[in-house]
Amino acid sequence: MRSPEEASNWSDSILTESAMRLAQLLLPAIAQTRIVDHLLSTYGEVNRRVLSQMEMLPRAQSVEDMRRLVFEVAAFATFLLALNEAPDRILPDGGDTHRERVRFFNGVLFLEMRRVLQDAGMLEVREVIMDISGGPAAGIKYDLGGPVSLEQRLDEYMRRCRGWDSALASFTFHVARALDVEEYFATELLAMQFVEPIIDLTRQMADRVFGPCLRRGGSA
């Protein structure tokens, strides 16, 4: 954890160390907080209630399903660290602008996060491709595409989305189809409930690495 004095002078080496530590902490933090487990258990409980009335069983989740969900949570958490935490916690120094410091930090964070996900086998998971253009009445057509890509997901959240609401819509889209593509229209609402826990997780992680956020009224 950096002191306020250290936080006012972010060198490349300190930024690199902090970004790499955040990336390395993310998957263990997701596992420890059991965000994906809670998502699956909530989905299972809701699904059982509905399907039991029709004498049907809920869809069983595979190992690939679990990895796909972990990837989506990790990608969105990386986006939140880059968008919300880095700009608030990295103070400008005398040589570079604040934007340049944040851009440098985020570049290291993205590269290390990709390595972490690759080592964990998360980037071997295939993308779910689906067609929902006809709406619920027309049913959902889907197939598996190429491997998931952290770069593509972050590019979507940070560049193609127009504001926070658009990014949230993209996140719930990805989580809902990862959770159960056949029941996408029902799981989309469920996915939205897990945005706040992921935001809380990224703030707690940033506190561990950077220290309390003084710009938000935190105390050192």
Side-chain angles (χ1 to χ4, degrees), residues 43 47-48 51-52 54-60 180:
Y43 159 76
N47 220 5
R48 275 190 292 273
L51 295 181
S52 63
M54 298 181 287
E55 298 183 351
M56 296 173 61
L57 295 175
R59 173 178 173 272
D180 190 343

Side-chain angles (χ1 to χ4, degrees), residues 21-170:
R21 186 174 176 217
L22 271 176
Q24 292 159 10
L25 286 172
L26 184 53
L27 290 187
I30 291 172
Q32 184 176 10
T33 54
R34 302 187 65 191
I35 289 176
V36 172
D37 291 337
H38 291 316
L39 178 58
L40 287 172
S41 63
T42 303
Y43 159 76
E45 180 60 30
V46 171
N47 220 5
R48 275 190 292 273
R49 291 177 192 169
V50 175
L51 295 181
S52 63
Q53 300 174 12
M54 298 181 287
E55 298 183 351
M56 296 173 61
L57 295 175
R59 173 178 173 272
Q61 300 292 326
S62 67
V63 173
E64 179 152 324
D65 291 331
M66 177 71 80
R67 287 183 175 179
R68 188 177 289 110
L69 284 168
V70 172
F71 166 79
E72 296 299 351
V73 171
F76 191 64
T78 303
F79 160 68
L80 292 174
L81 288 169
L83 179 75
N84 293 339
E85 301 306 327
D88 273 356
R89 297 169 189 266
I90 298 173
L91 304 179
D93 60 31
D96 294 311
T97 66
H98 180 244
R99 182 177 298 178
E100 289 170 342
R101 295 285 78 199
V102 171
R103 186 182 297 117
F104 178 88
F105 173 88
N106 286 344
V108 177
L109 176 67
F110 298 162
L111 289 174
E112 182 64 8
M113 196 66 241
R114 182 177 62 184
R115 185 197 66 77
V116 168
L117 291 171
Q118 183 69 57
D119 289 351
M122 300 298 172
L123 301 185
E124 298 173 6
V125 174
R126 296 171 66 188
E127 193 85 74
V128 176
I129 308 298
M130 68 178 191
D131 179 5
I132 57 174
S133 58
I140 297 173
K141 301 176 182 178
Y142 66 93
D143 200 352
L144 292 177
V148 294
S149 166
L150 180 64
E151 289 86 352
Q152 289 180 6
R153 204 64 91 240
L154 293 176
D155 180 70
E156 178 179 340
Y157 289 142
M158 302 187 77
R159 294 181 179 84
R160 286 184 282 158
C161 289
R162 297 182 178 179
W164 176 242
D165 289 343
S166 179
L168 285 183
S170 289

